[in-house]
Every structure is written in C-alpha cells, then in structure tokens.
Amino acid sequence: MVTKKQHYYPRSLIKHFANEDDKLYTYIRISNRIQYINYENICAENYTYEGSSGIDNILENSLSVLEAKIAPIVNKILTNIVIKDDRITVDLREDEIDFLFKYINIQYIRTNTGRISFVRSFGNINYVRRRYPYKIEEIKESKNNEILHFNDRFKQIGVLENFIKFLKKPKNMNFHILVGENYITSDNPVIMLNEGKQIFMPISNNICVTFQIADYSNTDKILLPYNAGLNRYLNECQIETSNYYIMSIENFDLVTNWYIYRRFHVIDWEKISKHFK
C-alpha cells in the first residue's frame, strides 16, 4: 500500500502534546487561526518524500523505521524518570542516548526548511548559515529544487543509513532533560543554537531533551531543574522557526498569542525580534 499522507513530524512524537481526546491547540499559519484538532491531521503533506522517479515510498518507509526506533525511547523518558542514589535521573542506556542524538539531527533536516538548508549547506565551504526563517514562498519555490534533490539523494540505497552512522555525539557533548511548564512545539521542533553546540527538542508539554557541549553544560546531571527564562525562550524559538503549525496541549495564553501575532503579521519582524540580533 502506498502512503500518500506523509508526516515530517511523526505522529508517535506529536501525540505527547495532545490531550486524552488526541487533540491539541494548533495555530495554523495558512488560515491564521487556532483550532483544537487531532494531532494526526497536522505536520503532513501528500507525497512530501517522493523523488523525481515517481511515487515509491522508499524514503518514507526508511524514515518510518527510524520513527519506530525513536518512539519507545521517548516513551521511556516520559514514563521512567527514577531516583537513584538520591539523584533524579532516567535509566537510559548509552546506545539509546546516542540514537536520540542521531534522530534529533534527522528530525532537524527532514522538514521542508531542514531539507532546503541541508542541500544548500552540505559540502559548501562558503555557505553562511541563514539568520532568518524561510518564508513560505521560498519553500514553494524549493519544492522542485532543493527538496526534490534531498529526496532523490536520500532514497538511494545506503545513503540515509550511512548518514545515520556518520552522526555521532561528540565526546564533550552532554545529554540533559529539562523540566518545564507548557512547552510548545512546531513543524520545526528542533532548536539549534550556537552552530549546533546546543540542541533542544521538547518531547512533551513539560519535558525537553537537550544536547550541549561542555562550554554550555557544566554538570553531569541528566535531569535539570525548571528554568522559567529558558522555558520562555525555547517557546519563542518554536514560534520563530515555525512555517506552518504551532502546537500546545493547552490553549495559548495572551502572551503567547501576542508573540505569534507579531511573528507573522509585523512587517520586517526579523529586524525587530531579539532572536535574530
């Protein structure tokens, strides 16, 4: 059976931001409105991972294998926080942490924005990382260029598998779990800061996983305490990097609503936002 509706943010991960009725509050940029909708109906496009040779689901199926492997690791984090020797931690194996690092990097490049950035930067020593998010018009123009090129390349035998092997967590990079309050997520859920030296991805409304090199992380503790400023900053990052959807288990408060409005309606917002200075 051919899969037509292909998710670039796996349902097995988005569901952790949904309520018991499988719905979550979603700002839909295209229609400029907030809806309370089923998590399965967002962050997907028809045949988004197909290449120039036609519909074959090769890349879609390969990504599904990775999704099946990351889902139980995320579930384990969310359900198995334990206390050992008076320290709160999560009983994760090193190979699970290593794969979490690999998958988060894959998640970063599998979205429309990620595929465009990857193709433009890979092997280009003169590439300068873009400071501002891609506009929807730019993404549409890239459908038959960078995005198609990415699909054609990664559907080839062994390319995705070899890239996964290439992705290795640096020895000086520490893994942490951030406790938070009402983390939100978006169609670009991975936040890369300081040229990838800090990587964040919320996996539920109150848990965010992060990898940080030693310059930014001076503790060997896995579970880090609540930090209101960082919590707010990461939510703003989700809004800033979003192209299509912003999702929350709770309805957006006035502050978040106002930030979303300014992000998508203020002319030259990139020149005003502190995130791009």
Side-chain angles (χ1 to χ4, degrees), residues 52-245:
S52 57
S53 61
I55 298 171
D56 50 34
N57 274 189
I58 291 176
L59 182 53
E60 164 71 9
N61 291 338
S62 296
L63 290 169
S64 295
V65 172
L66 301 180
E67 294 170 14
K69 188 173 180 180
I70 192 61
I73 296 176
V74 170
N75 289 341
K76 187 176 182 179
I77 293 172
L78 296 176
T79 59
N80 289 283
I81 294 178
V82 298
I83 299 177
K84 284 187 176 181
D85 301 324
D86 295 324
R87 294 178 63 180
I88 301 177
T89 186
V90 175
D91 190 17
L92 288 178
R93 303 190 309 269
E94 280 301 317
D95 64 297
E96 292 175 320
I97 294 175
D98 288 341
F99 184 77
L100 183 61
F101 174 83
K102 292 175 183 289
Y103 181 80
I104 287 177
N105 279 272
I106 292 296
Q107 180 61 52
Y108 183 71
I109 67 170
R110 68 178 292 184
T111 64
N112 283 339
T113 287
R115 284 180 281 178
I116 296 170
S117 297
F118 181 85
V119 170
R120 291 183 179 181
S121 63
F122 191 74
N124 182 0
I125 60 175
N126 296 317
Y127 177 79
V128 178
R129 184 180 293 273
R130 183 182 173 114
R131 291 180 59 197
Y132 309 126
Y134 288 100
K135 299 182 183 298
I136 289 181
E137 294 74 21
E138 295 177 275
I139 294 175
K140 289 180 179 178
E141 293 174 358
S142 297
K143 291 285 187 179
N144 293 318
N145 294 297
E146 290 92 345
I147 291 176
L148 187 65
H149 178 77
F150 180 99
N151 293 351
D152 283 340
R153 180 63 177 161
F154 275 85
K155 67 183 287 187
Q156 294 178 26
I157 297 175
V159 172
L160 179 60
E161 292 76 12
N162 288 332
F163 187 72
I164 290 288
K165 293 178 182 178
F166 169 79
L167 291 169
K168 294 183 179 180
K169 182 174 71 68
K171 292 182 179 179
N172 67 335
M173 179 166 271
N174 298 319
F175 167 67
H176 301 294
I177 296 173
L178 295 172
V179 177
E181 291 183 356
N182 197 26
Y183 285 122
I184 63 176
T185 188
S186 72
D187 52 276
N188 288 304
V190 179
I191 304 300
M192 293 269 188
L193 301 177
N194 301 304
E195 302 298 322
K197 296 175 182 177
Q198 291 180 289
I199 308 171
F200 300 87
M201 181 176 173
I203 58 173
S204 77
N205 65 305
N206 55 14
I207 295 293
C208 176
V209 294
T210 176
F211 291 90
Q212 304 182 48
I213 66 168
D215 291 349
Y216 299 93
S217 169
N218 57 6
T219 177
D220 62 350
K221 293 182 178 179
I222 290 184
L223 199 67
L224 300 182
Y226 173 67
N227 182 319
L230 181 58
N231 198 135
R232 181 174 60 254
Y233 183 82
L234 292 177
N235 280 352
E236 290 175 357
C237 287
Q238 292 291 335
I239 298 171
E240 294 285 5
T241 60
S242 170
N243 293 125
Y244 308 109
Y245 304 101

Side-chain angles (χ1 to χ4, degrees), residues 233-273:
Y233 183 82
L234 292 177
N235 280 352
E236 290 175 357
C237 287
Q238 292 291 335
I239 298 171
E240 294 285 5
T241 60
S242 170
N243 293 125
Y244 308 109
Y245 304 101
I246 302 168
M247 298 89 76
S248 173
I249 196 170
E250 298 179 6
N251 202 354
F252 301 109
D253 59 28
L254 290 176
V255 173
T256 305
N257 258 321
W258 177 234
Y259 200 98
I260 292 172
Y261 174 83
R262 289 184 296 161
R263 161 69 175 89
F264 295 113
H265 293 87
V266 173
I267 298 175
D268 293 329
W269 171 250
E270 294 89 348
K271 298 178 181 179
I272 301 173
S273 172

